[in-house]
Amino acid sequence: MEELIEKIKNSISLSAEAEKYLYSIIKKKTVLKGDILIHQGQVVKHTYFVIDGCLRAYCIDKNGKEHTLQFAVKDWWISDFIAIYNNELATLTVECIKEATCLEFKTKDLDGIYALFPEFEAFQRRNLERHVVSLHKRILNQLQLTAAERYNLFLLQYPDIEHFTPNYYIASYLGITQQSLSRIRAEKVQK
């Protein structure tokens, strides 16, 4: 928990009361590989901050195909933000793919923090800006880069993830088939 508190303190001035409140709404959680934190179709009540390990958010389309939208590693937030902000049922499933330690927040408690401690709005705005920028870059990369270029960028963003992530999760994230991923890897080795 201290890691997140320090991260917040590096971003905003945090009063003792605000810090105490944060500790009161945080639940430290160990998540095992394969555990599902959010199921597609359920009401979303929690947001997670990843201390270590790796989670992924994915959806299953009407044809039964999985689409990985996000990997969350150290210092990333993950949830189904569409469900939270639009008050809808989850469109995503959030699954642990490498044993993780997370900080779990009830979304209603996290939302309530702004009325009690307005300084948190600046911190959350920066988090949302970071998330939006990340999503925009991902969309632009999907539109403008070749599959090989997207894979190379993926390796820069997530240098160790290949050691514990099944190929079909990576291929799904990149928007390619597993066969294309294998071909790209083989060509990379030959170079």
Side-chain angles (χ1 to χ4, degrees):
M1 294 186 206
E2 292 76 23
E3 292 176 43
L4 178 59
I5 300 294
E6 285 307 311
K7 186 177 176 79
I8 293 170
K9 284 181 175 180
N10 288 333
S11 184
I12 61 170
S13 178
L14 191 64
S15 67
E17 295 83 20
E19 187 172 339
K20 184 177 177 184
Y21 179 79
L22 263 179
Y23 276 110
S24 76
I25 66 169
I26 294 173
K27 179 181 173 189
K28 192 171 185 178
K29 185 175 183 112
T30 299
V31 188
L32 301 177
K33 180 180 178 177
D35 285 355
I36 304 290
L37 298 174
I38 297 172
H39 291 273
Q40 194 169 337
Q42 79 173 57
V43 173
V44 179
K45 297 180 180 178
H46 297 95
T47 298
Y48 303 90
F49 180 80
V50 179
I51 301 296
D52 62 44
C54 185
L55 305 175
R56 80 171 177 127
Y58 68 94
C59 66
I60 300 175
D61 69 19
K62 62 184 176 185
N63 298 319
K65 184 177 178 184
E66 278 188 19
H67 302 276
T68 300
L69 275 70
Q70 177 189 1
F71 290 103
V73 292
K74 183 178 174 53
D75 291 342
W76 271 94
W77 294 85
I78 192 166
S79 190
D80 185 330
F81 299 107
I82 294 172
I84 291 169
Y85 293 117
N86 289 339
N87 198 27
E88 299 173 358
L89 295 179
T91 57
L92 301 174
T93 296
V94 175
E95 169 190 34
C96 181
I97 58 173
K98 179 183 180 191
E99 184 172 322
T101 304
C102 300
L103 301 181
E104 179 182 71
F105 294 85
K106 290 181 182 173
T107 53
K108 66 179 176 73
D109 291 342
L110 207 50
D111 286 343
I113 203 168
Y114 308 121
L116 297 169
F117 306 101
E119 62 269 24
F120 274 100
E121 286 191 29
F123 176 75
Q124 184 60 8
R125 186 188 74 241
R126 284 188 210 105
N127 281 334
L128 288 173
E129 288 168 353
R130 180 178 155 201
H131 191 70
V132 168
V133 166
S134 174
L135 289 174
H136 282 192
K137 283 182 177 180
R138 183 156 149 60
I139 291 167
L140 287 172
N141 291 343
Q142 288 293 108
L143 295 172
Q144 297 175 340
L145 299 179
T146 67
E149 290 169 329
R150 291 195 309 269
Y151 176 66
N152 288 332
L153 186 59
F154 175 82
L155 293 177
L156 290 173
Q157 290 174 318
Y158 303 102
D160 298 324
I161 204 166
E162 282 192 300
H163 302 297
F164 56 84
T165 305
N167 288 339
Y168 63 94
Y169 291 176
I170 296 170
S172 168
Y173 180 82
L174 295 172
I176 60 177
T177 64
Q178 290 184 66
Q179 293 79 7
S180 293
L181 179 59
S182 294
R183 182 183 40 77
I184 291 167
R185 286 180 171 156
E187 289 171 0
K188 190 174 174 78
V189 169
Q190 289 175 356
K191 290 181 181 180

